[in-house]
Amino acid sequence: MTLLELLTLLRKHLKLVIMLPIVCMVAMGLASVLMMNDTYTATTDMYVLASSEGSNSSSALSSDLSASQMLTNDVATLLQSDRVMTDAADQLGLPNLRGYDITVTSESTTRVITLQVTSSDAQGSANVANALADCVSNVAQEVMNVESVNVIDEAPTPEAPSGPNRMLYVAVAAMAGLFAAVAIVVLMDVIDTRVRSAEDVEELLELPVIGRIPEMKGGR
């Protein structure tokens, strides 16, 4: 099937091609509103201060920079450890931190750690983020060569939801509906073996059409 034939076929079933994506968009829009809860993301930044930085020597600071950056990655991993999670939950009076999506990022060229906590509870996300930042400092001082993990910016309570991205879901549903409509139209054409025109007869019999009987209205 050539592109021109496909376009002609789609034009014949234009109603289906238009309606199916619209139905998919509406269905996904309703599902995202009725079945997907808003989520809120609280963010806090921390700076890892290594113990060797007690000296004012710039040469000592430069020589320890690489080791400090590696130490920062260790602290980022420590943030998601069971111990820190348990300590933060106990501090907040929670049985555990299930239901909170915790993301930790640390660039290789800096000692700043970014912690993001996402949940359906805006205030709860901010509380968990700040509790984790507080607890990781105590654990890091105990088990690592870290002087402290200082909070740069405490996590504020998110005012607007961070997800779900309903517009993206609706757009994907529209594309899926369009592809489904094209597939249905092509399949209908493949399984339809009826002869509808002189061109179909010529294609099937490989013989030219030498005459036609005109359609008579009213049986005359």
Side-chain angles (χ1 to χ4, degrees), residues 80-103:
Q80 301 182 73
S81 66
D82 291 340
R83 179 174 176 182
V84 173
M85 296 272 191
T86 301
D87 289 350
D90 291 342
Q91 180 175 315
L92 296 173
L94 300 174
N96 53 62
L97 297 184
R98 294 174 185 172
Y100 293 92
D101 183 19
I102 299 171
T103 304

Side-chain angles (χ1 to χ4, degrees), residues 45-46 48 68-77 79-80 103-115:
D45 295 318
M46 293 160 282
V48 178
S68 296
Q69 290 170 349
M70 294 179 62
L71 191 62
T72 301
N73 293 331
D74 293 339
V75 174
T77 302
L79 263 169
Q80 301 182 73
T103 304
V104 182
T105 56
S106 173
E107 300 293 337
S108 60
T109 57
T110 180
R111 283 175 285 179
V112 176
I113 299 173
T114 300
L115 169 65

